[in-house]
Amino acid sequence: MGEHVLLIGMMGAGKTTTGLAVARLMRRPFHDSDAEILARTGLTVPEIFERHGEAAFRAEERGVLASALSSGRPSVIAVAGGAIFHPDSRQRVRQGGVVVWLRARPRTLANRVGSGAGRPLLEHDPAETMARLDSYRRPVYRSLADVVVDVDGRSRQAVAETAWRCAVGWLAARSELLGDEARRLRVVDRAWP
Ligand code: S3P
């Protein structure tokens, strides 16, 4: 089992912002999927979708995730929203360290992504698309998460501090536990009771 902190969740959940802040707090390198795809290909997400299609984008996504996970130092990784739908990537995420799901209500996500600019999946009716994506992605995020942090109604700073506290606590607790016990360890930090 790895020592990375992996942030998962929907578009608009705040993976990049939270990841940067957690990486700073932990003094770790930060890997962000979309930024690394841009660095690797010289193309933005919409450009890849337009020129090469979604399948090519998903292949890039898998590639940057695999290389972030195999980088020598324990890192903080913002995992692309769709990356975990490939079984190999899901397995890598599961074994990579502590998986933190930034959970948000569909309405919160829709408000945050607005018109969906820069996100090709949201070109048509972003709110409806987000709700549909959320309904089938949510069970997968839930099943992968070691830590669940609610985003709704919290400031960016509060989300980052909560994610950091829970991730560090989880990693410390896991090192004290063995096998199945460690696998069942789960932290849920709700914004509301
Ligand atoms: C996607 C999420 C986006 C980007 C692409 C597809 C997804 O990243 O990779 O538009 O399928 O969830 P963010 O989660 O950073 O918006």
Side-chain angles (χ1 to χ4, degrees):
M1 280 288 271
E3 294 289 321
H4 298 292
V5 175
L6 297 120
L7 297 164
I8 62 169
M10 285 286 289
M11 290 173 266
K15 300 183 294 290
T16 301
T17 316
T18 308
L20 264 172
V22 172
R24 208 168 287 137
L25 286 163
M26 296 180 83
R27 297 175 205 279
R28 285 182 172 203
F30 175 57
H31 297 276
D32 181 68
S33 181
D34 288 352
E36 291 187 3
I37 290 175
L38 174 64
R40 195 186 257 216
T41 64
L43 298 172
T44 64
V45 177
E47 283 167 348
I48 300 177
F49 267 73
E50 201 182 306
R51 292 189 205 177
H52 306 294
E54 181 171 352
F57 172 75
R58 297 297 174 196
E60 290 297 338
E61 223 174 41
R62 287 198 292 284
V64 295
L65 177 64
S67 77
L69 282 165
S70 61
S71 68
R73 284 172 63 196
S75 308
V76 177
I77 303 171
V79 180
I84 53 168
F85 293 90
H86 192 284
D88 292 350
S89 297
R90 197 153 57 234
Q91 190 59 15
R92 285 201 175 96
V93 166
R94 207 172 256 133
Q95 291 171 348
V98 56
V99 181
V100 180
W101 175 25
L102 300 181
R103 179 171 66 179
R105 294 195 175 105
R107 200 176 332 121
T108 305
L109 296 168
N111 286 341
R112 288 187 178 196
V113 301
S115 67
R119 291 176 164 121
L121 293 180
L122 303 181
E123 256 169 22
H124 309 289
D125 198 345
E128 194 277 326
T129 309
M130 287 289 272
R132 185 169 43 76
L133 286 177
D134 182 71
S135 69
Y136 75 82
R137 287 184 174 189
R138 185 168 283 255
V140 181
Y141 294 141
R142 180 181 296 120
S143 74
L144 274 178
D146 302 308
V147 171
V148 183
V149 175
D150 274 340
V151 162
D152 308 274
R154 277 183 162 146
S155 68
R156 285 161 193 262
Q157 192 185 345
V159 169
E161 280 176 10
T162 306
W164 166 60
R165 203 164 25 79
C166 293
V168 169
W170 191 96
L171 287 169
R174 189 192 61 184
S175 68
E176 305 279 319
L177 298 172
L178 295 171
D180 282 351
E181 267 184 316
R183 230 160 274 135
R184 283 198 298 268
L185 184 64
R186 197 149 205 261
V187 178
V188 179
D189 195 300
R190 294 180 201 286
W192 309 101

